[in-house]
């Protein structure tokens, strides 16, 4: 899009937008603001991951779905990222006895993609850098910023401090956002954070004879109530397995032999695939990582600062939507910038108004999945629930759309998806009630209309006949 003929916008073009955090959401946001012609300065605390040899950090691969893809499309990145992703058309449910059962996500075109986090981040940073009006500033850790002047203070690698001013600060600095700290000091700012009792640990499943150890185009799931494991494929033919369990349980497993015993009990089919020796070693490579859910509102401070991605809403990973929601934040903000002519004083409050209900809804849904899965979801229940979902959708395709489908394969606003889900539940319950009523009413009618053939015995004979039936007691 070219805005150069619009006077109103050419003034705002000179404005400086500081994107704090060069992670997934920050790097994508840089592209969005650069495309609009702003002077974009990205500040990232780490060194440039494109040069670093080893990138330590969170999950190695992620599930990218419709919302994330739409956001990438808008900056022309969708095809490139999709071409480096591995489609997962179905879940593959692993039972305790080793049986694998696939259940498709939906129709042919409905699949999620396994993408490499580091590669995605690198591609987004490189895309941002192609805009001449973008600067990437690495090894800049935000210490604090002033709500009065908007000035930000950064610490450099050597410990030197640097002060920087911008017209708009976009806080994309993750779940432990330093930008958000100033929001916490404001009156009428709502904030809650919850650490769940579970931690997660990542293990690599190597290729076998140069091939994937399991079928590649699936999201592999081992549902064992409290203990859950998933595996997503990588381009190098490995799988990254993520084990979720309570920290309490992690603490019980302290030796290599205990690891094997534990896996024999819950994930026996995975032992030969990961390799017993590798498993014993890698299990202790890194400690289990914590998971936090953060909700807050508003997402903006005046016309100076706005939060997006995990900085605004860290969600637990049990819906595979954290990054997708963060990418959709960028897309929604961009749509509002179009509607309100890039006037920050109007765009920021509108973004809060529109986005808070949706981000809170996905945070709740992800937490709901966590609670539900750890409480009752074993492999049988998982399969049963998904069969029922698919069945109801097939018989009533317009009325019943599975919640997972609305969340993952559409851009239905998250809070609308929740509303519709409640409505569908009502329809299903009333349908069941109706079936039960028809059965009872119909049954009664048939009994009266066609009574079963009974011998016609005069009443006075009944007593003597009953007496004749000798009781065995
Ligand atoms: P981050 O990725 O955390 O990036 C924040 C950036 O800010 C980092 O680069 C950091 O170095 C930088 N930073 C932090 N503090 C400062 C500072 N003070 N100054 C300057 N820079 C700073 N989502 C999905 O959609 N699908 C999935 O399958 C999925 N799986 C997940 C599995 C696990 C185990 C976990 C933990 C999360 C998963 N997520 C998934 C969620 C996803 O990882 C996050 O939602 C996403 O990374 C958020 O991106 P972000 O850019 O907001 O934050
Ligand atoms: C009954 C059956 C109730 C993340 C099934 C709820 C999440 C939940 C962590 C999967 C897929 C992407 C994921 C499904 C449910 C990623 C996901 C799902 C996990 C764990 C995950 C599904 C990374 C919940 N999507 N999902 O329907 O396949 O169903 F298992 Cl632990």
């Amino acid at each position: 899009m070219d805005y150069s003929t619009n006077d109103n916008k050419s003034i705002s073009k000179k404005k400086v937008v500081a994107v704090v955090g060069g992670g997934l959401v920050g790097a994508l946001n840089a592209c969005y603001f650069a495309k609009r012609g702003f002077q974009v300065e990205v500040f990232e605390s780490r060194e440039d991951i494109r040069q670093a040899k080893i990138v330590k950090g969170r999950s190695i691969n992620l599930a990218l779905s419709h919302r994330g893809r739409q956001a990438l499309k808008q900056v022309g990145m969708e095809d490139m990222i999709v071409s480096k992703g591995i489609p997962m058309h179905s879940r593959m449910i692993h039972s305790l006895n080793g049986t694998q059962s696939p259940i498709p996500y939906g129709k042919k075109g409905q699949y999620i993609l396994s993408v490499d986090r580091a590669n995605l981040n690198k591609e987004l940073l490189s895309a941002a850098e192609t805009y001449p009006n973008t600067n990437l500033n690495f090894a800049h850790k935000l210490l604090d910023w002033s709500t009065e002047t908007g000035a930000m203070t950064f610490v450099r690698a050597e410990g030197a401090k640097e002060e920087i001013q911008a017209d708009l600060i976009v806080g994309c600095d993750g779940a432990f956002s330093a930008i958000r700290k100033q929001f916490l000091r404001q009156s009428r700012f709502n904030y809650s954070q919850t650490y769940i009792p579970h931690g997660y640990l990542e293990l690599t499943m190597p290729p076998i004879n140069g091939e994937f150890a399991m079928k590649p185009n699936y999201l592999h799931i081992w549902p064992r109530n409290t203990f859950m494991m998933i595996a997503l494929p990588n381009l190098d033919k490995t799988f990254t397995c993520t084990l979720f369990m309570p920290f309490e349980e992690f603490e019980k497993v302290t030796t290599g032999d205990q690891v094997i015993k534990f896996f024999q009990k819950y994930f026996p089919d995975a032992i030969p695939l990961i390799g017993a020796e590798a498993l014993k070693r890698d299990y202790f490579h890194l400690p289990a990582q914590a998971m936090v859910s953060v909700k807050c509102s508003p997402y903006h401070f005046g016309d100076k600062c706005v939060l997006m991605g995990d900085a605004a809403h860290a969600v637990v990973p049990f819906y595979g939507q954290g990054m997708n929601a963060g990418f959709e934040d960028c897309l929604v903000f961009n749509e509002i910038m179009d509607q309100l002519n890039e006037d920050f004083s109007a765009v920021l409050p509108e973004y809060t108004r529109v986005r808070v209900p949706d981000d809170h809804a996905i945070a709740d849904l992800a937490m709901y999945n966590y609670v539900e899965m750890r409480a009752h979801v074993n492999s049988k229940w998982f399969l049963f629930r998904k069969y029922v979902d698919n069945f109801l959708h097939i018989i009533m395709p317009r009325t019943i759309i599975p919640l997972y489908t609305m969340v993952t394969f559409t851009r239905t606003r998250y809070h609308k998806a929740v509303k519709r889900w409640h409505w569908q539940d009502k329809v299903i319950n009333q349908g069941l009630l109706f079936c039960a009523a028809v059965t009872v009413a119909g049954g009664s009618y048939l009994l009266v209309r066609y009574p079963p053939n009974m011998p016609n015995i005069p009443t006075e004979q009944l007593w003597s006949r009953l007496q004749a039936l000798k009781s065995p007691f």
Side-chain angles (χ1 to χ4, degrees):
M1 251 179 273
D2 188 358
Y3 295 104
S4 54
T5 52
N6 188 324
D7 274 343
N8 211 355
K9 280 171 183 163
S10 57
I11 296 168
S12 61
K13 268 193 180 133
K14 293 178 196 111
K15 284 192 174 168
V16 178
V17 174
V19 175
V20 178
L24 299 177
V25 173
L28 178 63
N29 241 336
C31 297
Y32 271 99
F33 285 102
K35 199 176 168 212
R36 288 188 165 275
F38 290 99
Q39 175 60 39
V40 180
E41 298 289 334
V42 179
F43 299 99
E44 164 58 46
S45 57
R46 294 173 299 177
E47 293 290 340
D48 189 345
I49 51 164
R50 295 167 300 175
Q51 263 117 62
K53 285 194 189 72
I54 22 157
V55 187
K56 61 173 167 46
R58 279 182 312 168
S59 68
I60 296 151
N61 53 23
L62 304 138
L64 172 68
S65 51
H66 183 69
R67 294 172 202 266
R69 287 181 62 165
Q70 287 300 111
L72 289 168
K73 188 178 189 167
Q74 196 62 207
V75 290
M77 297 279 294
E78 186 190 16
D79 294 341
M80 195 232 279
I81 299 303
V82 167
S83 72
K84 289 184 183 169
I86 302 176
M88 300 182 287
H89 303 276
S90 310
R91 352 46 191 155
M92 183 69 88
I93 306 303
H94 292 242
S95 307
L96 200 51
N97 67 15
T99 313
Q100 298 187 25
S101 320
I103 323 170
Y105 274 117
K107 294 177 221 87
K108 257 231 152 80
Q110 289 183 323
Y111 55 84
I112 53 180
L113 284 152
S114 174
V115 297
D116 182 277
R117 177 195 288 272
N119 179 62
L120 178 57
N121 206 158
K122 288 175 190 175
E123 299 278 11
L124 287 170
L125 288 170
S126 294
E129 224 171 26
T130 60
Y131 295 90
N133 47 330
T134 299
N135 266 319
L136 304 181
N137 306 276
F138 294 102
H140 277 71
K141 186 186 170 107
L142 182 113
L143 201 62
D144 203 359
W145 65 284
S146 159
T147 51
E148 267 110 62
T149 64
M152 297 168 284
T153 312
F154 291 94
V155 252
R156 304 300 318 279
E158 328 80 54
K161 284 185 185 166
E162 210 173 296
E163 200 147 283
I164 289 158
Q165 190 88 37
D167 296 298
L168 177 69
I169 301 171
V170 186
C172 303
D173 50 348
F176 307 100
S177 172
I179 291 288
R180 202 176 53 213
K181 276 184 201 150
Q182 281 300 331
F183 283 66
L184 282 161
R185 303 184 49 211
Q186 305 303 316
S187 165
R188 299 187 61 203
F189 180 67
N190 301 295
Y191 182 82
S192 76
Q193 76 172 43
T194 309
Y195 278 93
I196 57 172
H198 276 57
Y200 72 91
L201 192 112
E202 288 177 318
L203 297 161
T204 303
M205 187 181 280
I208 295 175
N209 299 327
E211 265 314 310
F212 279 106
M214 305 181 295
K215 288 193 169 176
N217 295 106
Y218 295 85
L219 168 54
H220 290 266
I221 307 181
W222 290 255
R224 304 282 186 270
N225 300 70
T226 294
F227 307 100
M228 302 168 239
M229 191 163 75
I230 61 173
L232 276 73
N234 298 307
L235 281 180
D236 64 0
K237 305 203 169 172
T238 61
F239 279 93
T240 303
C241 305
T242 311
L243 169 65
F244 297 95
M245 67 176 182
F247 276 102
E248 215 174 83
E249 301 289 334
F250 273 114
E251 281 153 22
K252 287 184 193 161
V253 180
T254 56
T255 68
D257 290 342
Q258 283 170 336
V259 175
I260 300 297
K261 276 219 178 91
F262 171 78
F263 267 74
Q264 270 165 354
K265 188 161 175 199
Y266 295 104
F267 313 106
D269 60 333
I271 301 175
L273 301 178
I274 299 173
E277 287 313 308
L279 186 55
K280 283 188 197 175
R281 183 168 23 100
D282 297 349
Y283 187 94
F284 300 103
H285 189 63
L286 281 173
Q289 304 289 304
M291 285 169 280
V292 69
S293 182
V294 172
K295 285 208 265 180
C296 67
S297 77
Y299 290 162
H300 72 287
F301 178 87
D303 61 356
K304 280 203 187 83
C305 182
V306 62
L307 301 174
M308 294 195 209
D310 279 17
H313 48 80
V315 307
V316 292
F318 299 95
Y319 229 115
Q321 282 292 313
M323 164 192 64
N324 286 288
F327 280 6
E328 197 180 42
D329 288 347
C330 306
L331 184 50
V332 167
F333 190 88
N334 190 54
E335 287 164 358
I336 297 170
M337 289 280 273
D338 281 340
Q339 285 161 20
L340 301 175
N341 293 315
E342 303 185 348
D343 172 5
F344 296 152
S345 67
V347 169
L348 269 51
E350 179 65 3
Y351 169 74
T352 286
R353 190 187 71 78
V354 169
R355 202 54 188 159
V356 165
D358 291 325
D359 284 331
H360 285 198
I362 192 59
D364 292 342
L365 283 176
M367 189 61 87
Y368 177 86
N369 252 7
Y370 164 63
V371 172
E372 165 115 339
M373 285 206 272
R374 79 166 174 192
H376 359 265
V377 181
N378 54 26
S379 51
K380 277 211 179 105
W381 183 247
F382 199 113
L383 291 165
F384 174 71
R385 284 292 301 270
K386 298 298 168 182
Y387 281 133
V388 171
D389 269 10
N390 285 354
F391 173 76
L392 289 170
H393 181 56
I394 286 165
I395 62 168
M396 294 177 281
R398 283 165 171 278
T399 316
I400 310 287
I401 301 165
L403 179 62
Y404 189 83
T405 302
M406 287 192 274
V407 166
T408 309
F409 300 116
T410 76
R411 274 201 66 209
T412 309
R413 292 184 59 183
Y414 288 126
H415 88 275
K416 285 267 168 70
V418 173
K419 273 205 176 135
R420 190 179 170 122
W421 176 47
H422 292 313
W423 174 80
Q424 290 181 175
D425 251 16
K426 257 192 201 158
V427 171
I428 294 167
N429 284 333
Q430 279 172 13
L432 287 173
L433 206 66
F434 179 76
C435 289
V438 165
T439 309
V440 169
S444 314
Y445 170 78
L446 289 175
L447 270 175
V448 172
R449 183 71 180 73
Y450 307 103
N453 236 347
M454 299 249 260
N456 205 355
I457 304 162
T459 330
E460 57 273 21
Q461 283 181 23
L462 264 177
W463 181 242
S464 54
R465 281 193 170 223
L466 273 172
Q467 293 236 301
L469 292 169
K470 288 216 172 74
S471 162
F473 303 107

